[in-house]
Amino acid sequence: MDDTRVWAFEESLWTGDADQYHTLIDDECVMVLPEQPFVMTGAQAIEAVADTPRWSEVRFSEQQIMRPQEGLIAIAYKAEASREGATGYTAYCTTTMRRLEHEEWRVVQHQQTLAPVTGGA
């Protein structure tokens, strides 16, 4: 999967509906998110997405893509997301994807760490 497609794939997980999530999240996925229950399986994440308003916009920066072996892609990035009623969500994220067959990829790991809040003294 080329870099452009990797980032389009990742963006679709932020902005897509529960069906999109169900299609792209592996049954053996593990996620760590900054909301309870914090650590969850792919099935739990799919269920949570069904009840959560999707982000209308997400921007990625500080992007890194690693390909440690054929059929495995690990990415890291900073995400800045917004939706109606919620702006200013910033997190540092990682996602690992594995190829099941030609051009068919699934997320097997995703993590979000909220950006630290800095303030002047």
Side-chain angles (χ1 to χ4, degrees), residues 9-66:
F9 180 102
E10 189 71 6
E11 182 177 354
S12 77
L13 293 168
W14 285 79
T15 60
D17 61 16
D19 289 338
Q20 177 78 354
Y21 225 70
H22 190 270
T23 300
L24 299 179
I25 302 298
D26 196 271
D27 291 340
E28 296 298 315
C29 185
V30 63
M31 292 194 179
V32 176
L33 301 173
E35 295 179 8
Q36 289 188 347
F38 303 110
V39 178
M40 60 184 79
T41 65
Q44 290 171 314
I46 291 166
E47 184 178 316
V49 165
D51 298 326
T52 303
R54 305 307 299 142
W55 298 103
S56 56
E57 180 182 54
V58 63
R59 289 180 314 281
F60 300 142
S61 61
E62 302 181 35
Q63 297 157 278
Q64 299 286 324
I65 297 179
M66 302 297 166

Coordinates of all heavy atoms in Angstrom, one line a residue, residues 9-66:
F9 N -6.6 5.6 4.2 CA -7.2 4.4 5.0 C -7.3 4.9 6.4 O -8.4 4.7 7.0 CB -6.2 3.3 4.9 CG -6.5 2.0 5.6 CD1 -7.1 1.0 5.0 CD2 -6.3 1.9 7.0 CE1 -7.4 -0.2 5.7 CE2 -6.6 0.8 7.7 CZ -7.2 -0.3 7.0
E10 N -6.3 5.5 7.0 CA -6.3 6.0 8.4 C -7.4 7.0 8.6 O -8.2 7.0 9.5 CB -5.0 6.5 8.8 CG -4.9 6.7 10.3 CD -4.9 5.5 11.2 OE1 -4.9 4.3 10.6 OE2 -4.9 5.6 12.4
E11 N -7.5 8.0 7.6 CA -8.5 9.1 7.7 C -9.9 8.5 7.7 O -10.8 8.9 8.5 CB -8.3 10.1 6.6 CG -9.3 11.2 6.7 CD -9.1 12.3 5.6 OE1 -8.1 12.2 4.8 OE2 -10.0 13.2 5.5
S12 N -10.1 7.4 6.9 CA -11.4 6.8 6.9 C -11.8 6.2 8.2 O -13.0 6.1 8.5 CB -11.5 5.8 5.7 OG -10.9 4.6 6.1
L13 N -10.9 5.8 9.0 CA -11.2 5.3 10.3 C -11.7 6.4 11.3 O -12.4 6.1 12.2 CB -10.0 4.5 10.9 CG -9.7 3.3 10.2 CD1 -8.3 2.8 10.6 CD2 -10.7 2.2 10.4
W14 N -11.2 7.6 11.1 CA -11.6 8.7 11.9 C -13.0 9.3 11.5 O -13.8 9.7 12.3 CB -10.6 9.8 11.8 CG -9.3 9.6 12.6 CD1 -8.3 8.8 12.3 CD2 -9.0 10.1 13.9 NE1 -7.3 8.7 13.2 CE2 -7.7 9.5 14.3 CE3 -9.6 10.9 14.8 CZ2 -7.1 9.8 15.5 CZ3 -9.0 11.3 16.0 CH2 -7.8 10.7 16.3
T15 N -13.2 9.3 10.2 CA -14.4 10.0 9.7 C -15.5 9.1 9.2 O -16.6 9.5 9.0 CB -14.0 11.0 8.5 OG1 -13.4 10.2 7.5 CG2 -13.1 12.0 9.0
G16 N -15.2 7.8 8.9 CA -16.1 6.9 8.4 C -17.1 6.4 9.5 O -17.0 6.6 10.7
D17 N -18.2 5.7 9.0 CA -19.2 5.2 9.9 C -18.8 3.9 10.5 O -17.8 3.3 10.2 CB -20.6 5.2 9.2 CG -20.6 4.2 8.0 OD1 -19.6 3.4 7.8 OD2 -21.5 4.3 7.2
A18 N -19.7 3.3 11.3 CA -19.5 2.0 11.9 C -19.2 0.9 10.9 O -18.4 0.0 11.2 CB -20.6 1.7 12.9
D19 N -19.9 1.0 9.8 CA -19.7 -0.1 8.8 C -18.2 0.0 8.2 O -17.6 -1.1 8.0 CB -20.7 0.1 7.6 CG -22.1 -0.3 8.0 OD1 -22.3 -1.0 8.9 OD2 -23.0 0.2 7.3
Q20 N -17.7 1.2 8.1 CA -16.3 1.3 7.6 C -15.4 0.7 8.7 O -14.5 0.0 8.3 CB -16.0 2.8 7.4 CG -14.6 3.1 7.0 CD -14.3 2.8 5.5 OE1 -15.1 2.3 4.8 NE2 -13.1 3.1 5.1
Y21 N -15.7 1.0 9.9 CA -14.9 0.5 11.0 C -14.9 -1.0 11.0 O -13.9 -1.7 11.2 CB -15.4 1.1 12.3 CG -14.4 1.6 13.3 CD1 -13.6 2.8 13.0 CD2 -14.1 1.0 14.5 CE1 -12.7 3.2 13.8 CE2 -13.1 1.4 15.3 CZ -12.4 2.6 15.0 OH -11.5 3.0 15.9
H22 N -16.1 -1.5 10.9 CA -16.3 -3.0 10.9 C -15.5 -3.7 9.8 O -14.9 -4.7 10.0 CB -17.8 -3.3 10.8 CG -18.1 -4.8 11.0 ND1 -18.1 -5.7 10.0 CD2 -18.4 -5.4 12.2 CE1 -18.4 -6.9 10.5 NE2 -18.5 -6.8 11.8
T23 N -15.4 -3.0 8.6 CA -14.7 -3.6 7.5 C -13.2 -3.5 7.7 O -12.5 -4.5 7.3 CB -15.1 -2.8 6.2 OG1 -16.5 -2.9 6.0 CG2 -14.3 -3.2 5.0
L24 N -12.7 -2.5 8.4 CA -11.2 -2.3 8.4 C -10.6 -2.7 9.7 O -9.3 -2.8 9.8 CB -10.9 -0.9 8.1 CG -11.3 -0.3 6.8 CD1 -11.0 1.1 6.6 CD2 -10.8 -1.2 5.6
I25 N -11.3 -3.0 10.8 CA -10.8 -3.4 12.1 C -10.7 -5.0 12.2 O -11.7 -5.6 12.0 CB -11.6 -2.8 13.2 CG1 -11.6 -1.3 13.1 CG2 -11.0 -3.3 14.6 CD1 -10.2 -0.6 13.2
D26 N -9.6 -5.5 12.4 CA -9.4 -7.0 12.5 C -10.0 -7.5 13.8 O -10.1 -6.8 14.8 CB -7.9 -7.3 12.5 CG -7.6 -8.7 12.2 OD1 -7.5 -9.5 13.2 OD2 -7.4 -9.1 11.1
D27 N -10.5 -8.7 13.7 CA -11.1 -9.4 14.9 C -10.1 -9.5 16.1 O -10.5 -9.5 17.2 CB -11.6 -10.8 14.6 CG -12.8 -10.8 13.7 OD1 -13.5 -9.7 13.6 OD2 -13.1 -11.8 13.0
E28 N -8.8 -9.5 15.7 CA -7.8 -9.7 16.7 C -7.1 -8.3 17.1 O -6.0 -8.3 17.6 CB -6.7 -10.7 16.3 CG -7.2 -12.1 16.1 CD -7.7 -12.7 17.4 OE1 -7.1 -12.5 18.4 OE2 -8.8 -13.3 17.4
C29 N -7.8 -7.2 16.8 CA -7.2 -5.9 17.1 C -7.2 -5.6 18.6 O -8.1 -6.0 19.3 CB -8.0 -4.8 16.3 SG -7.4 -3.2 16.5
V30 N -6.3 -4.8 19.0 CA -6.2 -4.3 20.4 C -6.1 -2.8 20.2 O -5.3 -2.3 19.4 CB -5.1 -4.9 21.2 CG1 -3.7 -4.6 20.7 CG2 -5.2 -4.5 22.7
M31 N -6.8 -2.1 21.1 CA -6.8 -0.6 21.1 C -6.6 -0.1 22.5 O -7.1 -0.7 23.4 CB -8.1 0.0 20.5 CG -8.3 -0.3 19.0 SD -9.6 0.8 18.4 CE -9.5 0.2 16.7
V32 N -5.9 1.1 22.5 CA -5.8 1.8 23.8 C -6.2 3.2 23.5 O -5.6 3.9 22.6 CB -4.4 1.8 24.4 CG1 -4.3 2.6 25.6 CG2 -4.0 0.3 24.7
L33 N -7.3 3.7 24.1 CA -7.9 5.0 23.9 C -8.0 5.8 25.2 O -8.1 5.2 26.2 CB -9.3 4.9 23.2 CG -9.3 4.1 21.9 CD1 -10.7 3.9 21.4 CD2 -8.5 4.8 20.8
P34 N -8.0 7.1 25.1 CA -8.0 7.9 26.3 C -9.4 8.0 27.0 O -9.7 9.1 27.6 CB -7.5 9.3 25.9 CG -7.9 9.3 24.4 CD -7.8 7.9 23.9
E35 N -10.3 7.0 26.8 CA -11.6 7.0 27.4 C -11.9 5.6 27.9 O -11.4 4.6 27.3 CB -12.7 7.4 26.4 CG -12.6 8.8 25.9 CD -13.6 9.2 24.9 OE1 -14.6 8.4 24.6 OE2 -13.5 10.3 24.3
Q36 N -12.7 5.5 28.9 CA -13.0 4.2 29.4 C -13.7 3.3 28.4 O -14.5 3.9 27.6 CB -13.9 4.3 30.7 CG -13.1 4.8 31.8 CD -13.9 4.8 33.1 OE1 -15.1 4.6 33.1 NE2 -13.3 5.0 34.2
P37 N -13.4 2.1 28.3 CA -12.6 1.3 29.2 C -11.1 1.3 29.0 O -10.4 0.5 29.5 CB -13.2 -0.1 29.0 CG -13.5 -0.2 27.5 CD -14.0 1.2 27.2
F38 N -10.6 2.2 28.2 CA -9.2 2.5 27.9 C -8.6 1.4 27.0 O -8.0 1.7 25.9 CB -8.3 2.7 29.1 CG -8.8 3.8 30.0 CD1 -9.4 3.6 31.2 CD2 -8.8 5.1 29.5 CE1 -9.9 4.6 32.0 CE2 -9.2 6.2 30.3 CZ -9.8 5.9 31.5
V39 N -8.6 0.1 27.4 CA -8.0 -1.0 26.6 C -9.2 -1.8 26.1 O -10.1 -2.2 26.9 CB -7.1 -1.9 27.5 CG1 -6.6 -3.1 26.7 CG2 -6.0 -1.1 28.0
M40 N -9.3 -2.0 24.8 CA -10.4 -2.8 24.2 C -10.0 -3.6 23.0 O -8.9 -3.4 22.4 CB -11.5 -1.8 23.9 CG -11.2 -0.7 22.9 SD -12.5 0.4 22.6 CE -12.4 1.5 24.0
T41 N -10.9 -4.5 22.7 CA -10.7 -5.4 21.6 C -11.3 -4.7 20.3 O -12.0 -3.7 20.5 CB -11.4 -6.7 21.7 OG1 -12.8 -6.4 21.8 CG2 -10.9 -7.4 23.0
G42 N -11.0 -5.2 19.2 CA -11.6 -4.7 18.0 C -13.1 -4.7 18.0 O -13.7 -3.7 17.6
A43 N -13.7 -5.8 18.5 CA -15.2 -5.9 18.6 C -15.7 -4.8 19.5 O -16.7 -4.2 19.2 CB -15.6 -7.3 19.1
Q44 N -15.0 -4.5 20.7 CA -15.5 -3.5 21.6 C -15.4 -2.1 20.9 O -16.2 -1.3 21.1 CB -14.6 -3.5 22.9 CG -14.9 -4.7 23.8 CD -13.9 -4.8 24.9 OE1 -12.7 -4.7 24.7 NE2 -14.5 -5.0 26.1
A45 N -14.3 -1.9 20.2 CA -14.1 -0.6 19.5 C -15.2 -0.4 18.4 O -15.7 0.7 18.3 CB -12.7 -0.6 18.8
I46 N -15.5 -1.4 17.7 CA -16.6 -1.3 16.7 C -17.9 -1.0 17.3 O -18.6 -0.1 16.9 CB -16.7 -2.6 15.9 CG1 -15.4 -2.8 15.0 CG2 -17.9 -2.7 15.0 CD1 -15.3 -4.2 14.4
E47 N -18.2 -1.6 18.4 CA -19.4 -1.3 19.2 C -19.4 0.1 19.7 O -20.4 0.8 19.6 CB -19.6 -2.3 20.3 CG -20.8 -2.1 21.1 CD -21.0 -3.2 22.2 OE1 -20.6 -4.3 22.0 OE2 -21.4 -2.8 23.3
A48 N -18.3 0.6 20.2 CA -18.2 2.0 20.7 C -18.4 3.0 19.6 O -19.0 4.0 19.8 CB -16.8 2.2 21.4
V49 N -17.8 2.7 18.4 CA -18.0 3.6 17.3 C -19.4 3.8 16.9 O -19.9 4.9 16.5 CB -17.1 3.2 16.1 CG1 -17.4 3.9 14.8 CG2 -15.6 3.5 16.5
A50 N -20.2 2.7 17.0 CA -21.6 2.8 16.6 C -22.4 3.8 17.4 O -23.3 4.3 16.9 CB -22.2 1.4 16.7
D51 N -21.9 4.0 18.6 CA -22.6 5.0 19.5 C -21.9 6.3 19.7 O -22.3 7.1 20.6 CB -22.8 4.3 20.9 CG -23.6 3.1 20.8 OD1 -24.5 3.0 20.0 OD2 -23.3 2.1 21.6
T52 N -20.9 6.6 18.9 CA -20.1 7.8 19.0 C -20.2 8.6 17.7 O -20.0 8.1 16.6 CB -18.6 7.4 19.2 OG1 -18.5 6.6 20.4 CG2 -17.8 8.7 19.4
P53 N -20.5 9.9 17.9 CA -20.5 10.8 16.7 C -19.1 10.7 16.0 O -18.1 10.8 16.7 CB -20.8 12.2 17.2 CG -21.3 12.0 18.6 CD -20.8 10.7 19.1
R54 N -19.1 10.6 14.7 CA -17.8 10.6 14.0 C -17.2 12.0 13.8 O -17.9 13.0 13.9 CB -18.1 9.9 12.6 CG -18.7 8.6 12.6 CD -18.1 7.6 13.5 NE -16.7 7.3 13.1 CZ -15.7 7.1 13.9 NH1 -15.8 7.1 15.2 NH2 -14.5 6.9 13.4
W55 N -15.9 12.0 13.6 CA -15.2 13.3 13.4 C -15.5 13.7 12.0 O -15.6 13.0 11.1 CB -13.7 13.1 13.6 CG -13.3 12.6 15.0 CD1 -13.0 11.4 15.4 CD2 -13.3 13.4 16.1 NE1 -12.8 11.4 16.7 CE2 -13.0 12.6 17.2 CE3 -13.6 14.8 16.4 CZ2 -12.8 13.1 18.5 CZ3 -13.5 15.3 17.7 CH2 -13.1 14.4 18.7
S56 N -15.8 15.0 11.9 CA -16.1 15.5 10.5 C -14.8 15.9 9.8 O -14.8 16.0 8.6 CB -17.0 16.7 10.6 OG -16.5 17.7 11.5
E57 N -13.8 16.2 10.6 CA -12.5 16.6 10.0 C -11.3 16.1 10.8 O -11.4 16.1 12.1 CB -12.4 18.1 9.8 CG -11.1 18.6 9.2 CD -11.0 20.1 9.1 OE1 -11.2 20.8 10.1 OE2 -10.8 20.6 8.0
V58 N -10.3 15.6 10.2 CA -9.1 15.3 10.9 C -7.9 15.6 10.0 O -7.9 15.5 8.8 CB -9.0 13.7 11.3 CG1 -9.0 12.9 10.0 CG2 -7.9 13.4 12.2
R59 N -6.9 16.2 10.7 CA -5.6 16.6 10.0 C -4.5 15.8 10.7 O -4.4 15.7 11.9 CB -5.4 18.1 10.1 CG -6.3 18.9 9.3 CD -6.0 20.4 9.4 NE -5.9 20.9 10.8 CZ -6.8 21.1 11.7 NH1 -8.1 20.9 11.4 NH2 -6.6 21.6 12.9
F60 N -3.6 15.2 9.9 CA -2.4 14.5 10.4 C -1.2 15.3 10.2 O -1.0 16.0 9.1 CB -2.3 13.2 9.6 CG -3.5 12.2 9.7 CD1 -3.9 11.5 8.7 CD2 -4.2 12.1 10.9 CE1 -4.9 10.6 8.7 CE2 -5.2 11.2 11.0 CZ -5.6 10.5 9.9
S61 N -0.3 15.3 11.1 CA 1.1 15.8 11.0 C 2.0 14.9 11.7 O 1.6 13.9 12.3 CB 1.1 17.3 11.6 OG 0.8 17.3 12.9
E62 N 3.3 15.3 11.6 CA 4.4 14.5 12.3 C 4.3 13.0 11.9 O 4.5 12.1 12.6 CB 4.4 14.6 13.8 CG 4.5 16.1 14.2 CD 4.5 16.3 15.7 OE1 5.1 15.4 16.4 OE2 4.0 17.4 16.1
Q63 N 3.9 12.8 10.6 CA 3.6 11.4 10.1 C 4.9 10.6 9.9 O 5.8 11.1 9.3 CB 2.8 11.5 8.8 CG 1.5 12.2 9.0 CD 1.0 12.8 7.7 OE1 1.4 13.9 7.4 NE2 0.1 12.1 7.0
Q64 N 4.8 9.3 10.3 CA 5.9 8.3 10.1 C 5.2 7.1 9.6 O 4.2 6.7 10.1 CB 6.6 8.0 11.4 CG 7.3 9.2 12.0 CD 8.5 9.6 11.2 OE1 9.3 8.8 10.7 NE2 8.8 10.9 11.2
I65 N 5.8 6.4 8.6 CA 5.4 5.1 8.1 C 6.6 4.2 8.2 O 7.6 4.5 7.7 CB 4.8 5.2 6.7 CG1 3.6 6.1 6.6 CG2 4.5 3.8 6.2 CD1 3.0 6.2 5.2
M66 N 6.4 3.0 8.8 CA 7.4 2.0 8.8 C 6.8 0.7 8.2 O 5.6 0.4 8.4 CB 7.8 1.7 10.3 CG 8.3 2.9 11.0 SD 9.8 3.5 10.2 CE 10.0 5.1 11.0

